[in-house]
Amino acid sequence: MTPTRQVVRRLSADDVLAFIHIPKTAGSTLAALLDPLLPGRRLPVHELGPLDRMRAGEIAAARSIAGHFPASVVEALWGADCIQLTILREPLARFTSHFRQLQVEALGYDPERAQEDVWDYSRVRQMSLGDFVADPGILLRRAVNLQTRYLAMEIMPEGWRSGAAAPFELLVLYKNTLASGKEWPLDTAKARLERMAWFGLVERFQESLFLLSFSFAWRPMQNVVRLNAVKNKAARDAIDDEILARMVSYNTQDLALYTFAQQLFETRYQGAIDYLFERHGSRRHARMRQPYDPAALDELLLRHYSAIREPRKRAMDLSGGVRFAWDRALTGAFGWSMLESSSK
């Protein structure tokens, strides 16, 4: 991607924006940062279970979606052309964090209230990481290659037509699909990632936020929150070699997807930097090399925001009547830019 071909997307009131939150990829933190940017009608649920209880019209009317929804479900319910975002994480770190999260959830598990012991929390409570990777049970099959599955798996029943109401017990279909242990095509996951309007990497979180701000011409974002983080994470160098080898063997698809994502992210990120330097930079910026100064990138992103957003605001001046500038789109009542505080 060359600098002059870098894509900057302006969202309209009719666009549907979907954040695909893959578990344990800093998605809660990212969702909190995205929240003030999305003033369109929001889907009020973040899991598949509650989605089963919503009317088809309510689902279709949503313009902002954020939750644990596989990409195929998002495309089936809101169309293949909806604007998708996601964030990926180094697979072994995500796998370990997923195990720790299951242990946290197991503390509040009530087997008498569960209709089926799908999660088998009674065992995971006492497990070590070594026990977990050695266990052939359903917990392990739910955690492996999860990033690839979220982007590649198909869970809609055969014969389901796009535009129809969401099938009842969508959550059960999802759980059964994961529990099957089936591997889905890695190429499908890669293709969906390439079509994403934006995706980030946990290990390059602040750079991911810079790229997000650039991609939608939003004000520069800084990471100031950290939500749903699991404590007592196991450091990779502290994990036994045999356990580590098993984790690698279980997550080969995710490891390949992440390698692909790293390369694609670097291409997009460097393309955005080149664009900013070319359009808004000075001699001082031309001398910059990675790692780029965050303050300098903030400055360039703010110029980028102003260059795209401010002309649209000036297109309508009501101080002496109404004046239209026909060389640009008119400003509407549905902005997708960040909410700005008033001094009044």
Side-chain angles (χ1 to χ4, degrees), residues 99-333:
F99 164 64
R100 300 299 183 200
Q101 182 64 34
L102 290 176
Q103 288 193 310
V104 171
E105 292 175 1
L107 296 176
Y109 172 70
D110 183 356
E112 294 185 0
R113 294 180 59 189
Q115 295 180 355
E116 53 183 337
D117 202 12
V118 173
W119 291 89
D120 201 358
Y121 281 127
S122 58
R123 284 189 298 146
V124 78
R125 285 174 181 161
Q126 306 302 323
M127 280 182 174
S128 66
L129 181 60
D131 295 332
F132 184 65
V133 299
D135 190 283
I138 205 165
L139 285 170
L140 181 58
R141 296 201 299 273
R142 292 178 68 91
V144 300
N145 290 319
L146 195 62
Q147 298 178 105
T148 302
R149 294 186 188 195
Y150 257 70
L151 296 184
M153 69 180 179
E154 301 288 344
I155 72 172
M156 291 302 199
E158 187 175 350
W160 187 89
R161 299 186 312 278
S162 179
F168 185 63
E169 295 186 338
L170 192 57
L171 179 60
V172 173
L173 291 170
Y174 166 77
K175 286 183 176 181
N176 290 343
T177 302
L178 283 184
S180 70
K182 177 179 178 178
E183 285 195 351
W184 295 90
L186 179 61
D187 286 345
T188 300
K190 289 180 177 180
R192 275 203 170 106
L193 192 67
E194 283 189 297
R195 293 198 301 269
M196 294 274 174
W198 171 90
F199 75 90
L201 302 176
V202 171
E203 288 70 25
R204 299 181 67 175
F205 196 75
Q206 184 55 63
E207 292 163 300
S208 297
L209 293 183
F210 284 145
L211 184 58
L212 179 60
S213 299
F214 171 84
S215 298
F216 293 97
W218 288 334
R219 286 184 177 274
M221 285 187 281
Q222 294 287 344
N223 179 25
V224 294
V225 295
R226 190 164 178 244
L227 302 176
N228 201 29
V230 177
K231 297 180 180 179
N232 302 320
K233 294 179 182 177
R236 182 164 175 169
D237 55 7
I239 299 175
D240 180 82
D241 289 344
E242 182 179 350
I243 296 173
L244 196 61
R246 286 195 178 194
M247 290 168 59
V248 169
S249 68
Y250 288 138
N251 291 281
T252 53
Q253 283 192 313
D254 269 12
L255 287 164
L257 177 65
Y258 191 75
T259 298
F260 173 80
Q262 286 178 300
Q263 298 168 350
L264 182 58
F265 180 87
E266 182 60 33
T267 298
R268 290 188 178 188
Y269 181 69
Q270 191 58 54
I273 296 296
D274 292 344
Y275 180 102
L276 290 172
F277 285 177
E278 178 185 302
R279 298 293 183 92
H280 308 296
S282 62
R283 289 184 179 180
R284 172 172 60 88
H285 297 114
R287 295 191 295 270
M288 290 174 57
R289 297 292 182 270
Q290 289 202 48
Y292 300 112
D293 177 21
L297 291 186
D298 266 2
E299 176 188 356
L300 290 171
L301 285 168
L302 191 58
R303 293 178 184 176
H304 175 62
Y305 163 83
S306 298
I308 292 177
R309 299 288 179 180
E310 294 302 324
R312 299 182 70 196
K313 292 181 180 179
R314 290 194 295 268
M316 183 176 291
D317 180 3
L318 302 180
S319 60
V322 178
R323 177 175 60 86
F324 295 99
W326 299 110
D327 61 338
R328 57 180 65 91
L330 297 179
T331 303

